[in-house]
Amino acid sequence: MTVFARRGDLSFDRALAAAELAESLMVGAEFAVASAPVLELARDSGCSAYDCEFVALARQERIPLLTTDLRILDAFPKVALSPDQFVG
């Protein structure tokens, strides 16, 4: 949304309304991930801590992480799946 607002394709008010709607739809659906596993994954993989939060959450919830990020797919082949792998 920020990109669209910055380019002038979306007014600030509409971007803000969309962001607030998205936030309201996610209330109660947040997940907490401990910092230690995230930082360990980042240290051991070379991936960013931001990316490793998703890996740690997938591991924690025992679900696959669907991504097109090649670095994550390479670093975490037991957790991360490409869309083609997921469908196939």
Side-chain angles (χ1 to χ4, degrees):
M1 287 179 291
T2 305
V3 172
F4 297 116
R6 193 173 41 229
R7 289 191 323 208
D9 297 333
L10 188 62
S11 73
F12 175 82
D13 290 337
R14 292 208 48 191
L16 181 58
E20 289 173 345
L21 175 61
E23 289 172 0
S24 72
L25 293 172
M26 293 188 296
V27 169
E30 301 92 356
F31 292 87
V33 180
S35 296
V38 171
L39 295 175
E40 289 171 358
L41 291 169
R43 177 197 64 204
D44 297 343
S45 70
C47 293
S48 71
Y50 175 82
D51 288 341
C52 289
E53 285 189 70
F54 294 100
V55 175
L57 179 60
R59 285 183 171 180
Q60 174 182 303
E61 297 298 313
R62 297 175 189 198
I63 58 173
L65 173 62
L66 185 62
T67 183
T68 58
D69 188 308
L70 297 177
R71 180 178 269 186
I72 295 173
L73 289 165
D74 185 52
F76 303 102
K78 292 182 180 176
V79 177
L81 296 175
S82 70
D84 289 340
Q85 290 172 310
F86 184 75
V87 173

